[in-house]
Amino acid sequence: MDNKNRPTLKTIASLAGVSTYTVSRSLGGFSDVSTETSMRIKKIAHSIGYTPNAHARNLSVKRTNTIGMIVPTLGPETAYSDVINSVTKAAAAKGICVQLGSCDRSIELEKEYCKMMCENRVGALIAVTVSSNVSHIKEICKNVVPIIFLGGKTGLEEDCSLTIDYSHSAWRAVTHLY
């Protein structure tokens, strides 16, 4: 992907004859820029196809609006699509982007996705794990990204896990059908 030709705040500032600070404040909706200048900046930004750089903004404010999610596999025969849809819908409602990795039931690929998510400094990682042994995920992510384990592979012994009580669910199903 070629980033060299993408318009930046500096591009807009040069075209508008103002500082990058003024462009940033104007596009951020701050009221300390005159209406006339703000309208000119927004018109230039629109005409050159400017889109904000979320990574740059995240560095500036020292936080991210992205979470990572790793699932064992994708496909119509899995329950993960419902989980993914629910997570992404809830995240979007909060202005949060979800980076998704499907590891094809491979622990090695699960490790790689964990590393990539940590390197990209996601705000949190939701892991629907391949196996009940999650030590590799905890080791990779420790002191970098908070983890939430989701699903039946991890148990209540994990600090941040959401699990399903299959025994209780089965009992309720049988009781209901009886």
Side-chain angles (χ1 to χ4, degrees):
M1 191 179 300
D2 181 18
N3 288 326
K4 287 189 266 183
N5 297 324
R6 289 188 182 165
T8 64
L9 294 180
K10 192 174 183 179
T11 309
I12 299 167
S14 175
L15 292 170
V18 296
S19 69
T20 55
Y21 177 81
T22 301
V23 173
S24 176
R25 300 292 289 175
S26 173
L27 296 177
F30 292 91
S31 60
D32 59 346
V33 180
S34 74
T35 305
E36 180 184 320
T37 301
S38 186
M39 287 176 59
R40 187 173 81 248
I41 288 169
K42 289 175 183 175
K43 184 177 178 181
I44 291 169
H46 179 74
S47 71
I48 65 172
Y50 170 79
T51 55
N53 182 331
H55 289 293
R57 184 183 63 243
N58 292 344
L59 284 172
S60 174
V61 297
K62 294 184 173 105
R63 66 179 170 80
T64 181
N65 65 341
T66 304
I67 59 173
M69 184 171 189
I70 301 172
V71 296
T73 190
L74 293 175
E77 69 282 352
T78 69
Y80 306 120
S81 61
D82 289 339
V83 173
I84 293 165
N85 288 336
S86 297
V87 168
T88 56
K89 184 177 179 181
K94 300 282 186 190
I96 297 170
C97 178
V98 178
Q99 287 183 3
L100 177 65
S102 172
C103 55
D104 199 26
R105 299 193 192 283
S106 161
I107 289 179
E108 289 308 310
L109 192 50
E110 187 175 64
K111 289 178 185 178
E112 285 304 310
Y113 275 122
C114 284
K115 288 177 191 172
M116 287 186 279
M117 301 283 183
C118 288
E119 289 170 0
N120 282 309
R121 295 297 194 263
V122 295
L125 176 63
I126 298 171
V128 184
T129 59
V130 171
S131 79
S132 58
N133 181 354
V134 295
S135 60
H136 59 285
I137 296 172
K138 290 163 70 173
E139 180 61 29
I140 292 166
C141 297
K142 79 175 174 194
N143 301 325
V144 180
V145 174
I147 313 162
I148 300 167
F149 294 105
L150 187 63
K153 298 276 186 186
T154 53
L156 295 174
E157 70 278 359
E158 295 303 329
D159 290 338
C160 296
S161 66
L162 300 171
T163 60
I164 299 168
D165 184 341
Y166 291 106
S167 297
H168 180 72
S169 298
W171 177 84
R172 288 194 60 187
V174 170
T175 302
H176 176 74
L177 292 173
Y178 177 75

